[in-house]
Amino acid sequence: MSQLRIEPLHEAFGARVTGVALSGDVAPSALGEIRDAIDRYSLLCFPDQDMTDDKQLAFTRLLGEPEAEHVTFGKTGEVTFFGTVGNVEDDGTKRGNADASTHYQTGNQLWHSDSSFREVPSFVSIVHAYEVPGEGGATAFASMRSAYAVLPDVLRETIDPLHVVHDYVFSRSPIAPVDPNHAASLPPVMHRLVRENPSNGLKNYYVGSHARSIPGWSGIDSRRLLDDLLDRATQPQHVVTHQWQAGDFVIWDNRCLLHRGTGYDADRWRRRMRQTRVVGDERGVVPGGAAARP
Ligand code: OGA
Ligand code: MN
């Protein structure tokens, strides 16, 4: 019998999962339950996990193909699988509020779905928290599935056939200039606005900060619709905020959730979290370049 205990965090989505050590050999039955829980709860928090980068990467591979971290890949062509979230360097040095990397990461305070700007967006992101601020630094999650479920029928019909251009340079250049090689590696891509979970048939829409425009619509009409959908998804009844504890191992489903950082005082606190992502299985209908530009 399974040892996994799954306790829902919120009516709409999210669960706390105990009774499994993700750093060890995860039994196929437990892995199956975790996969089912991802489909059902979208956000899974496993407290008190004993983790290392090697163990995290091994677990990531159990869920699928690890995604190359796009900043390093874009700038240098080197494939690495980890992103550091927070303000602590590999050598342990802390970066403060004025640091360029801290500033760059404020872009994560815009609601987004990780890698929605890639031709193949990510399935899940996986974060292990090593050091967390004593105050602030929570991550908020919003369910576009729960928001889709309560959309007025007429809006559902409007959005059903639409596509959306997602563009990293569009979303991030207002925060900080995007390195030219990085920008060149991420041309705009197009995805369906409405997605469906293949396992349970539940639908959601798919927007966020990287969502730039709707092909065939004027800029202003695109903006109005995308902003309206974002606003609906981020109402309190569709949001779960996770206050990190050291040892938390969190998996979220980028196919249907948005998330954002809520900020913290980097001069005062250390925050060190390591992130991996798993490649999704849905390719955007039109790859990047001029063809994707409406
Ligand atoms: C992320 C992210 C926001 C935060 O890890 O992908 O967007 O909490 N994090 O800093
Ligand atoms: Mn993110």
Side-chain angles (χ1 to χ4, degrees), residues 216-275:
W217 285 38
S218 72
I220 186 68
D221 287 346
S222 289
R223 203 63 265 150
R224 282 203 187 105
L225 178 63
L226 295 172
D227 287 349
D228 177 47
L229 292 172
L230 187 70
D231 187 57
R232 288 169 185 271
T234 55
Q235 295 304 306
Q237 65 272 28
H238 307 305
V239 173
V240 170
T241 300
H242 182 65
Q243 187 67 61
W244 296 89
Q245 306 292 324
D248 282 350
F249 189 89
V250 172
I251 304 174
W252 68 83
D253 188 343
N254 282 308
R255 298 170 302 179
C256 62
L257 292 189
L258 294 165
H259 63 281
R260 70 168 174 187
T262 60
Y264 64 103
D265 184 351
D267 287 342
R268 184 165 173 208
W269 304 106
R270 291 169 67 89
R271 186 176 192 245
R272 179 167 184 269
M273 314 204 295
R274 296 283 279 166
Q275 194 200 68

Short mmCIF file of all heavy atoms in Angstrom, two decimals, residues 216-275:
data_model
loop_
_atom_site.label_atom_id
_atom_site.label_comp_id
_atom_site.label_asym_id
_atom_site.label_seq_id
_atom_site.Cartn_x
_atom_site.Cartn_y
_atom_site.Cartn_z
N GLY A 216 -3.82 38.24 -35.84
CA GLY A 216 -5.07 38.64 -36.49
C GLY A 216 -5.84 39.68 -35.68
O GLY A 216 -6.81 40.23 -36.18
N TRP A 217 -5.45 39.91 -34.43
CA TRP A 217 -6.13 40.92 -33.63
C TRP A 217 -5.24 42.16 -33.56
O TRP A 217 -4.02 42.06 -33.62
CB TRP A 217 -6.36 40.40 -32.20
CG TRP A 217 -7.45 39.40 -32.05
CD1 TRP A 217 -7.78 38.40 -32.92
CD2 TRP A 217 -8.36 39.30 -30.95
NE1 TRP A 217 -8.82 37.67 -32.43
CE2 TRP A 217 -9.20 38.20 -31.22
CE3 TRP A 217 -8.54 40.02 -29.76
CZ2 TRP A 217 -10.21 37.81 -30.34
CZ3 TRP A 217 -9.54 39.62 -28.88
CH2 TRP A 217 -10.37 38.54 -29.18
N SER A 218 -5.87 43.31 -33.36
CA SER A 218 -5.07 44.53 -33.19
C SER A 218 -4.32 44.43 -31.86
O SER A 218 -4.69 43.66 -30.96
CB SER A 218 -5.98 45.76 -33.16
OG SER A 218 -6.71 45.79 -31.95
N GLY A 219 -3.26 45.23 -31.76
CA GLY A 219 -2.47 45.23 -30.53
C GLY A 219 -3.33 45.52 -29.32
O GLY A 219 -3.25 44.82 -28.30
N ILE A 220 -4.18 46.52 -29.42
CA ILE A 220 -4.95 46.93 -28.24
C ILE A 220 -5.99 45.88 -27.86
O ILE A 220 -6.19 45.57 -26.69
CB ILE A 220 -5.56 48.35 -28.43
CG1 ILE A 220 -6.23 48.85 -27.15
CG2 ILE A 220 -6.53 48.42 -29.59
CD1 ILE A 220 -5.28 49.13 -26.03
N ASP A 221 -6.62 45.28 -28.88
CA ASP A 221 -7.61 44.23 -28.57
C ASP A 221 -6.92 42.99 -27.98
O ASP A 221 -7.43 42.35 -27.06
CB ASP A 221 -8.40 43.84 -29.82
CG ASP A 221 -9.39 44.92 -30.22
OD1 ASP A 221 -9.65 45.82 -29.39
OD2 ASP A 221 -9.89 44.88 -31.36
N SER A 222 -5.74 42.67 -28.51
CA SER A 222 -4.97 41.56 -27.95
C SER A 222 -4.68 41.82 -26.48
O SER A 222 -4.89 40.97 -25.62
CB SER A 222 -3.60 41.44 -28.64
OG SER A 222 -3.69 40.98 -29.94
N ARG A 223 -4.18 43.02 -26.23
CA ARG A 223 -3.77 43.38 -24.87
C ARG A 223 -4.95 43.29 -23.91
O ARG A 223 -4.85 42.77 -22.82
CB ARG A 223 -3.20 44.80 -24.91
CG ARG A 223 -2.26 45.22 -23.84
CD ARG A 223 -0.97 44.42 -23.80
NE ARG A 223 -1.05 43.33 -22.87
CZ ARG A 223 -0.38 42.18 -23.00
NH1 ARG A 223 0.41 41.95 -24.01
NH2 ARG A 223 -0.52 41.24 -22.10
N ARG A 224 -6.10 43.82 -24.37
CA ARG A 224 -7.29 43.81 -23.50
C ARG A 224 -7.67 42.39 -23.12
O ARG A 224 -7.95 42.09 -21.97
CB ARG A 224 -8.47 44.49 -24.18
CG ARG A 224 -8.36 45.98 -24.13
CD ARG A 224 -9.75 46.64 -24.29
NE ARG A 224 -9.57 48.07 -24.41
CZ ARG A 224 -9.68 48.75 -25.55
NH1 ARG A 224 -10.01 48.14 -26.67
NH2 ARG A 224 -9.49 50.06 -25.56
N LEU A 225 -7.70 41.51 -24.12
CA LEU A 225 -8.11 40.13 -23.84
C LEU A 225 -7.08 39.44 -22.94
O LEU A 225 -7.44 38.79 -21.95
CB LEU A 225 -8.30 39.34 -25.14
CG LEU A 225 -8.70 37.87 -24.91
CD1 LEU A 225 -10.06 37.76 -24.22
CD2 LEU A 225 -8.72 37.09 -26.22
N LEU A 226 -5.79 39.58 -23.28
CA LEU A 226 -4.76 38.89 -22.50
C LEU A 226 -4.73 39.41 -21.07
O LEU A 226 -4.58 38.64 -20.11
CB LEU A 226 -3.40 39.02 -23.18
CG LEU A 226 -3.29 38.33 -24.55
CD1 LEU A 226 -1.99 38.68 -25.25
CD2 LEU A 226 -3.44 36.81 -24.41
N ASP A 227 -4.89 40.72 -20.91
CA ASP A 227 -4.91 41.29 -19.56
C ASP A 227 -6.15 40.86 -18.79
O ASP A 227 -6.08 40.59 -17.59
CB ASP A 227 -4.85 42.83 -19.62
CG ASP A 227 -3.48 43.35 -20.02
OD1 ASP A 227 -2.52 42.54 -20.06
OD2 ASP A 227 -3.36 44.56 -20.31
N ASP A 228 -7.28 40.78 -19.48
CA ASP A 228 -8.52 40.35 -18.82
C ASP A 228 -8.37 38.90 -18.33
O ASP A 228 -8.73 38.57 -17.19
CB ASP A 228 -9.70 40.48 -19.78
CG ASP A 228 -11.00 39.98 -19.17
OD1 ASP A 228 -11.30 40.35 -18.01
OD2 ASP A 228 -11.71 39.19 -19.82
N LEU A 229 -7.80 38.04 -19.17
CA LEU A 229 -7.64 36.63 -18.77
C LEU A 229 -6.66 36.51 -17.61
O LEU A 229 -6.87 35.72 -16.68
CB LEU A 229 -7.18 35.79 -19.98
CG LEU A 229 -8.22 35.65 -21.09
CD1 LEU A 229 -7.60 34.97 -22.31
CD2 LEU A 229 -9.45 34.87 -20.62
N LEU A 230 -5.60 37.32 -17.66
CA LEU A 230 -4.63 37.30 -16.56
C LEU A 230 -5.28 37.76 -15.26
O LEU A 230 -5.10 37.16 -14.20
CB LEU A 230 -3.43 38.19 -16.90
CG LEU A 230 -2.28 38.12 -15.91
CD1 LEU A 230 -1.57 36.77 -15.98
CD2 LEU A 230 -1.26 39.23 -16.17
N ASP A 231 -6.05 38.81 -15.38
CA ASP A 231 -6.73 39.36 -14.21
C ASP A 231 -7.68 38.33 -13.59
O ASP A 231 -7.72 38.14 -12.38
CB ASP A 231 -7.48 40.62 -14.65
CG ASP A 231 -8.08 41.35 -13.49
OD1 ASP A 231 -7.30 41.71 -12.59
OD2 ASP A 231 -9.31 41.53 -13.45
N ARG A 232 -8.41 37.64 -14.45
CA ARG A 232 -9.34 36.62 -13.95
C ARG A 232 -8.59 35.49 -13.23
O ARG A 232 -9.01 35.01 -12.19
CB ARG A 232 -10.16 36.01 -15.10
CG ARG A 232 -11.19 36.96 -15.67
CD ARG A 232 -11.77 36.39 -16.96
NE ARG A 232 -12.68 37.33 -17.58
CZ ARG A 232 -13.98 37.41 -17.33
NH1 ARG A 232 -14.56 36.59 -16.48
NH2 ARG A 232 -14.74 38.31 -17.93
N ALA A 233 -7.47 35.06 -13.82
CA ALA A 233 -6.75 33.90 -13.25
C ALA A 233 -6.10 34.24 -11.92
O ALA A 233 -5.84 33.34 -11.11
CB ALA A 233 -5.68 33.42 -14.22
N THR A 234 -5.82 35.53 -11.70
CA THR A 234 -5.05 35.87 -10.51
C THR A 234 -5.92 36.44 -9.38
O THR A 234 -5.41 37.06 -8.46
CB THR A 234 -3.91 36.85 -10.87
OG1 THR A 234 -4.47 37.99 -11.54
CG2 THR A 234 -2.92 36.20 -11.81
N GLN A 235 -7.22 36.19 -9.49
CA GLN A 235 -8.12 36.53 -8.38
C GLN A 235 -7.83 35.57 -7.21
O GLN A 235 -7.43 34.43 -7.43
CB GLN A 235 -9.58 36.40 -8.82
CG GLN A 235 -9.99 37.40 -9.90
CD GLN A 235 -9.73 38.84 -9.48
OE1 GLN A 235 -10.19 39.27 -8.43
NE2 GLN A 235 -8.97 39.58 -10.28
N PRO A 236 -8.06 36.04 -5.98
CA PRO A 236 -7.64 35.24 -4.81
C PRO A 236 -8.16 33.80 -4.79
O PRO A 236 -7.47 32.90 -4.32
CB PRO A 236 -8.22 36.03 -3.63
CG PRO A 236 -8.42 37.41 -4.13
CD PRO A 236 -8.63 37.34 -5.62
N GLN A 237 -9.36 33.56 -5.34
CA GLN A 237 -9.90 32.19 -5.27
C GLN A 237 -9.13 31.21 -6.16
O GLN A 237 -9.30 30.00 -6.02
CB GLN A 237 -11.40 32.15 -5.59
CG GLN A 237 -11.79 32.55 -7.01
CD GLN A 237 -12.02 34.05 -7.16
OE1 GLN A 237 -11.43 34.86 -6.45
NE2 GLN A 237 -12.87 34.42 -8.10
N HIS A 238 -8.30 31.74 -7.07
CA HIS A 238 -7.51 30.86 -7.94
C HIS A 238 -6.02 30.87 -7.57
O HIS A 238 -5.19 30.39 -8.34
CB HIS A 238 -7.65 31.30 -9.40
CG HIS A 238 -9.06 31.45 -9.88
ND1 HIS A 238 -9.98 30.44 -9.78
CD2 HIS A 238 -9.72 32.50 -10.43
CE1 HIS A 238 -11.15 30.86 -10.27
NE2 HIS A 238 -11.01 32.11 -10.67
N VAL A 239 -5.69 31.47 -6.43
CA VAL A 239 -4.27 31.66 -6.08
C VAL A 239 -3.90 30.92 -4.79
O VAL A 239 -4.65 30.94 -3.82
CB VAL A 239 -3.96 33.18 -5.93
CG1 VAL A 239 -2.54 33.40 -5.39
CG2 VAL A 239 -4.12 33.89 -7.27
N VAL A 240 -2.75 30.28 -4.83
CA VAL A 240 -2.15 29.68 -3.62
C VAL A 240 -0.76 30.29 -3.48
O VAL A 240 0.01 30.33 -4.45
CB VAL A 240 -2.02 28.15 -3.77
CG1 VAL A 240 -1.18 27.56 -2.64
CG2 VAL A 240 -3.39 27.49 -3.81
N THR A 241 -0.45 30.79 -2.29
CA THR A 241 0.87 31.39 -2.07
C THR A 241 1.69 30.46 -1.20
O THR A 241 1.25 30.05 -0.12
CB THR A 241 0.71 32.77 -1.41
OG1 THR A 241 -0.06 33.59 -2.30
CG2 THR A 241 2.06 33.43 -1.18
N HIS A 242 2.87 30.13 -1.70
CA HIS A 242 3.73 29.21 -0.95
C HIS A 242 4.84 29.98 -0.25
O HIS A 242 5.68 30.61 -0.89
CB HIS A 242 4.34 28.17 -1.91
CG HIS A 242 5.19 27.18 -1.17
ND1 HIS A 242 4.67 26.31 -0.26
CD2 HIS A 242 6.53 26.95 -1.18
CE1 HIS A 242 5.63 25.57 0.26
NE2 HIS A 242 6.77 25.95 -0.28
N GLN A 243 4.83 29.90 1.08
CA GLN A 243 5.90 30.50 1.88
C GLN A 243 6.95 29.41 2.10
O GLN A 243 6.68 28.41 2.75
CB GLN A 243 5.31 30.99 3.21
CG GLN A 243 6.29 31.77 4.06
CD GLN A 243 6.67 33.11 3.42
OE1 GLN A 243 5.82 33.95 3.20
NE2 GLN A 243 7.96 33.28 3.12
N TRP A 244 8.10 29.61 1.50
CA TRP A 244 9.12 28.55 1.49
C TRP A 244 9.73 28.29 2.85
O TRP A 244 9.98 29.23 3.61
CB TRP A 244 10.25 28.93 0.52
CG TRP A 244 9.83 29.05 -0.90
CD1 TRP A 244 9.35 30.17 -1.53
CD2 TRP A 244 9.83 28.00 -1.87
NE1 TRP A 244 9.07 29.87 -2.84
CE2 TRP A 244 9.36 28.55 -3.08
CE3 TRP A 244 10.19 26.65 -1.85
CZ2 TRP A 244 9.23 27.81 -4.25
CZ3 TRP A 244 10.07 25.90 -3.01
CH2 TRP A 244 9.60 26.49 -4.19
N GLN A 245 10.00 27.02 3.11
CA GLN A 245 10.83 26.60 4.24
C GLN A 245 12.04 25.89 3.63
O GLN A 245 11.89 25.20 2.60
CB GLN A 245 10.09 25.60 5.14
CG GLN A 245 8.73 26.05 5.63
CD GLN A 245 8.84 27.19 6.61
OE1 GLN A 245 9.77 27.24 7.41
NE2 GLN A 245 7.91 28.13 6.54
N ALA A 246 13.19 25.99 4.28
CA ALA A 246 14.34 25.22 3.79
C ALA A 246 13.97 23.75 3.80
O ALA A 246 13.32 23.26 4.75
CB ALA A 246 15.55 25.49 4.69
N GLY A 247 14.33 23.04 2.75
CA GLY A 247 13.98 21.61 2.65
C GLY A 247 12.74 21.36 1.81
O GLY A 247 12.44 20.22 1.47
N ASP A 248 12.04 22.43 1.45
CA ASP A 248 10.86 22.25 0.58
C ASP A 248 11.30 21.87 -0.83
O ASP A 248 12.22 22.49 -1.41
CB ASP A 248 10.06 23.55 0.45
CG ASP A 248 9.20 23.84 1.67
OD1 ASP A 248 9.07 22.96 2.54
OD2 ASP A 248 8.65 24.97 1.73
N PHE A 249 10.62 20.89 -1.36
CA PHE A 249 10.83 20.47 -2.74
C PHE A 249 9.47 20.63 -3.41
O PHE A 249 8.49 20.01 -2.99
CB PHE A 249 11.28 19.01 -2.75
CG PHE A 249 11.75 18.49 -4.09
CD1 PHE A 249 13.08 18.62 -4.48
CD2 PHE A 249 10.87 17.83 -4.94
CE1 PHE A 249 13.52 18.11 -5.69
CE2 PHE A 249 11.31 17.32 -6.15
CZ PHE A 249 12.65 17.46 -6.54
N VAL A 250 9.40 21.50 -4.40
CA VAL A 250 8.10 21.88 -4.97
C VAL A 250 8.08 21.59 -6.47
O VAL A 250 9.05 21.89 -7.18
CB VAL A 250 7.79 23.36 -4.66
CG1 VAL A 250 6.54 23.83 -5.41
CG2 VAL A 250 7.60 23.56 -3.16
N ILE A 251 7.00 20.99 -6.91
CA ILE A 251 6.81 20.70 -8.34
C ILE A 251 5.56 21.45 -8.78
O ILE A 251 4.52 21.35 -8.11
CB ILE A 251 6.56 19.19 -8.58
CG1 ILE A 251 7.70 18.35 -7.99
CG2 ILE A 251 6.38 18.90 -10.07
CD1 ILE A 251 7.43 16.84 -8.08
N TRP A 252 5.65 22.20 -9.87
CA TRP A 252 4.41 22.81 -10.37
C TRP A 252 4.24 22.56 -11.85
O TRP A 252 5.20 22.41 -12.60
CB TRP A 252 4.32 24.29 -10.02
CG TRP A 252 5.26 25.24 -10.67
CD1 TRP A 252 5.14 25.81 -11.91
CD2 TRP A 252 6.47 25.78 -10.10
NE1 TRP A 252 6.18 26.67 -12.13
CE2 TRP A 252 7.01 26.68 -11.05
CE3 TRP A 252 7.13 25.62 -8.88
CZ2 TRP A 252 8.19 27.39 -10.81
CZ3 TRP A 252 8.30 26.32 -8.65
CH2 TRP A 252 8.81 27.19 -9.60
N ASP A 253 2.98 22.54 -12.24
CA ASP A 253 2.59 22.20 -13.61
C ASP A 253 2.47 23.49 -14.42
O ASP A 253 1.49 24.24 -14.30
CB ASP A 253 1.24 21.47 -13.56
CG ASP A 253 0.83 20.90 -14.92
OD1 ASP A 253 1.40 21.33 -15.94
OD2 ASP A 253 -0.07 20.04 -14.94
N ASN A 254 3.50 23.74 -15.25
CA ASN A 254 3.49 24.97 -16.05
C ASN A 254 2.44 24.96 -17.16
O ASN A 254 2.18 26.01 -17.76
CB ASN A 254 4.87 25.16 -16.69
CG ASN A 254 5.89 25.70 -15.71
OD1 ASN A 254 5.65 26.71 -15.04
ND2 ASN A 254 7.02 25.03 -15.60
N ARG A 255 1.87 23.80 -17.44
CA ARG A 255 0.87 23.74 -18.50
C ARG A 255 -0.38 24.52 -18.13
O ARG A 255 -1.11 24.99 -18.99
CB ARG A 255 0.51 22.29 -18.81
CG ARG A 255 1.69 21.47 -19.33
CD ARG A 255 1.34 20.00 -19.39
NE ARG A 255 0.93 19.46 -18.09
CZ ARG A 255 0.55 18.21 -17.88
NH1 ARG A 255 0.53 17.35 -18.89
NH2 ARG A 255 0.19 17.80 -16.67
N CYS A 256 -0.64 24.60 -16.81
CA CYS A 256 -1.91 25.23 -16.40
C CYS A 256 -1.77 26.23 -15.26
O CYS A 256 -2.77 26.83 -14.88
CB CYS A 256 -2.93 24.16 -16.04
SG CYS A 256 -2.43 23.14 -14.66
N LEU A 257 -0.57 26.39 -14.70
CA LEU A 257 -0.40 27.37 -13.62
C LEU A 257 0.45 28.54 -14.07
O LEU A 257 1.38 28.38 -14.87
CB LEU A 257 0.35 26.75 -12.42
CG LEU A 257 -0.32 25.68 -11.60
CD1 LEU A 257 0.54 25.40 -10.35
CD2 LEU A 257 -1.73 26.07 -11.18
N LEU A 258 0.15 29.69 -13.51
CA LEU A 258 1.05 30.83 -13.54
C LEU A 258 1.71 30.92 -12.17
O LEU A 258 1.17 30.42 -11.18
CB LEU A 258 0.26 32.13 -13.76
CG LEU A 258 -0.43 32.27 -15.10
CD1 LEU A 258 -1.46 33.40 -15.03
CD2 LEU A 258 0.59 32.55 -16.19
N HIS A 259 2.84 31.60 -12.10
CA HIS A 259 3.43 31.86 -10.79
C HIS A 259 4.18 33.18 -10.84
O HIS A 259 4.47 33.71 -11.92
CB HIS A 259 4.35 30.71 -10.35
CG HIS A 259 5.54 30.53 -11.25
ND1 HIS A 259 5.45 29.88 -12.45
CD2 HIS A 259 6.83 30.93 -11.14
CE1 HIS A 259 6.63 29.86 -13.04
NE2 HIS A 259 7.48 30.51 -12.27
N ARG A 260 4.48 33.70 -9.66
CA ARG A 260 5.33 34.88 -9.58
C ARG A 260 5.99 34.95 -8.19
O ARG A 260 5.41 34.51 -7.20
CB ARG A 260 4.55 36.17 -9.84
CG ARG A 260 3.58 36.54 -8.76
CD ARG A 260 3.07 37.97 -8.97
NE ARG A 260 2.02 38.29 -8.02
CZ ARG A 260 1.30 39.39 -8.06
NH1 ARG A 260 1.50 40.27 -9.01
NH2 ARG A 260 0.38 39.62 -7.15
N GLY A 261 7.18 35.52 -8.18
CA GLY A 261 7.82 35.80 -6.91
C GLY A 261 7.16 37.01 -6.29
O GLY A 261 6.59 37.84 -7.00
N THR A 262 7.22 37.09 -4.96
CA THR A 262 6.58 38.24 -4.31
C THR A 262 7.59 39.21 -3.73
O THR A 262 7.21 40.19 -3.09
CB THR A 262 5.63 37.75 -3.18
OG1 THR A 262 6.41 37.03 -2.23
CG2 THR A 262 4.55 36.84 -3.73
N GLY A 263 8.89 38.94 -3.93
CA GLY A 263 9.92 39.90 -3.51
C GLY A 263 10.39 39.69 -2.07
O GLY A 263 9.68 39.10 -1.24
N TYR A 264 11.58 40.14 -1.82
CA TYR A 264 12.19 40.05 -0.49
C TYR A 264 13.35 41.02 -0.46
O TYR A 264 13.77 41.52 -1.51
CB TYR A 264 12.65 38.61 -0.20
CG TYR A 264 13.74 38.14 -1.13
CD1 TYR A 264 15.07 38.09 -0.71
CD2 TYR A 264 13.46 37.81 -2.46
CE1 TYR A 264 16.07 37.71 -1.58
CE2 TYR A 264 14.46 37.43 -3.33
CZ TYR A 264 15.76 37.38 -2.89
OH TYR A 264 16.75 37.03 -3.77
N ASP A 265 13.85 41.30 0.72
CA ASP A 265 14.95 42.24 0.86
C ASP A 265 16.28 41.48 0.72
O ASP A 265 16.72 40.82 1.67
CB ASP A 265 14.84 42.92 2.23
CG ASP A 265 15.90 44.00 2.43
OD1 ASP A 265 16.82 44.10 1.58
OD2 ASP A 265 15.81 44.73 3.43
N ALA A 266 16.87 41.60 -0.47
CA ALA A 266 18.10 40.83 -0.75
C ALA A 266 19.31 41.40 -0.02
O ALA A 266 20.33 40.73 0.09
CB ALA A 266 18.34 40.78 -2.26
N ASP A 267 19.20 42.64 0.48
CA ASP A 267 20.30 43.17 1.29
C ASP A 267 20.32 42.48 2.65
O ASP A 267 21.37 42.32 3.26
CB ASP A 267 20.13 44.69 1.51
CG ASP A 267 20.42 45.47 0.25
OD1 ASP A 267 21.07 44.91 -0.66
OD2 ASP A 267 20.00 46.65 0.17
N ARG A 268 19.14 42.07 3.08
CA ARG A 268 19.03 41.54 4.43
C ARG A 268 19.08 40.02 4.48
O ARG A 268 19.63 39.43 5.41
CB ARG A 268 17.69 42.03 4.99
CG ARG A 268 17.45 41.65 6.41
CD ARG A 268 16.31 42.44 7.02
NE ARG A 268 16.01 41.92 8.34
CZ ARG A 268 14.83 41.97 8.91
NH1 ARG A 268 13.81 42.55 8.27
NH2 ARG A 268 14.64 41.47 10.11
N TRP A 269 18.49 39.36 3.48
CA TRP A 269 18.30 37.90 3.57
C TRP A 269 19.04 37.15 2.48
O TRP A 269 19.25 37.67 1.39
CB TRP A 269 16.80 37.56 3.43
CG TRP A 269 15.91 38.24 4.42
CD1 TRP A 269 15.06 39.27 4.17
CD2 TRP A 269 15.77 37.92 5.80
NE1 TRP A 269 14.39 39.62 5.32
CE2 TRP A 269 14.80 38.80 6.33
CE3 TRP A 269 16.37 36.97 6.65
CZ2 TRP A 269 14.42 38.76 7.68
CZ3 TRP A 269 15.97 36.94 7.98
CH2 TRP A 269 15.02 37.82 8.48
N ARG A 270 19.31 35.89 2.78
CA ARG A 270 19.82 34.96 1.78
C ARG A 270 18.67 34.10 1.28
O ARG A 270 17.82 33.66 2.05
CB ARG A 270 20.89 34.04 2.39
CG ARG A 270 22.18 34.77 2.76
CD ARG A 270 23.08 33.88 3.60
NE ARG A 270 23.61 32.74 2.85
CZ ARG A 270 24.73 32.76 2.14
NH1 ARG A 270 25.47 33.87 2.09
NH2 ARG A 270 25.15 31.69 1.51
N ARG A 271 18.63 33.89 -0.03
CA ARG A 271 17.60 33.01 -0.62
C ARG A 271 18.31 32.17 -1.67
O ARG A 271 18.89 32.72 -2.62
CB ARG A 271 16.51 33.86 -1.26
CG ARG A 271 15.30 33.08 -1.78
CD ARG A 271 14.27 34.07 -2.29
NE ARG A 271 12.97 33.49 -2.55
CZ ARG A 271 12.40 33.41 -3.75
NH1 ARG A 271 13.05 33.87 -4.81
NH2 ARG A 271 11.19 32.89 -3.90
N ARG A 272 18.30 30.89 -1.48
CA ARG A 272 19.00 30.00 -2.44
C ARG A 272 18.11 28.81 -2.75
O ARG A 272 17.83 27.98 -1.89
CB ARG A 272 20.33 29.53 -1.85
CG ARG A 272 21.07 28.61 -2.79
CD ARG A 272 22.52 28.39 -2.37
NE ARG A 272 23.15 27.57 -3.39
CZ ARG A 272 23.19 26.24 -3.35
NH1 ARG A 272 22.69 25.59 -2.33
NH2 ARG A 272 23.75 25.57 -4.33
N MET A 273 17.64 28.77 -3.98
CA MET A 273 16.78 27.69 -4.42
C MET A 273 17.31 27.22 -5.78
O MET A 273 17.78 28.02 -6.59
CB MET A 273 15.34 28.18 -4.55
CG MET A 273 14.90 29.03 -3.34
SD MET A 273 13.14 29.10 -3.06
CE MET A 273 12.56 29.92 -4.48
N ARG A 274 17.24 25.93 -6.01
CA ARG A 274 17.75 25.39 -7.27
C ARG A 274 16.58 24.87 -8.08
O ARG A 274 15.71 24.16 -7.56
CB ARG A 274 18.76 24.28 -6.97
CG ARG A 274 19.99 24.80 -6.24
CD ARG A 274 20.97 25.53 -7.16
NE ARG A 274 21.81 24.58 -7.88
CZ ARG A 274 22.54 24.91 -8.93
NH1 ARG A 274 22.52 26.15 -9.42
NH2 ARG A 274 23.29 24.01 -9.53
N GLN A 275 16.58 25.21 -9.36
CA GLN A 275 15.44 24.87 -10.20
C GLN A 275 15.83 24.01 -11.39
O GLN A 275 16.81 24.30 -12.08
CB GLN A 275 14.77 26.14 -10.73
CG GLN A 275 13.40 25.83 -11.32
CD GLN A 275 12.88 26.89 -12.27
OE1 GLN A 275 13.43 27.07 -13.35
NE2 GLN A 275 11.85 27.58 -11.87
#
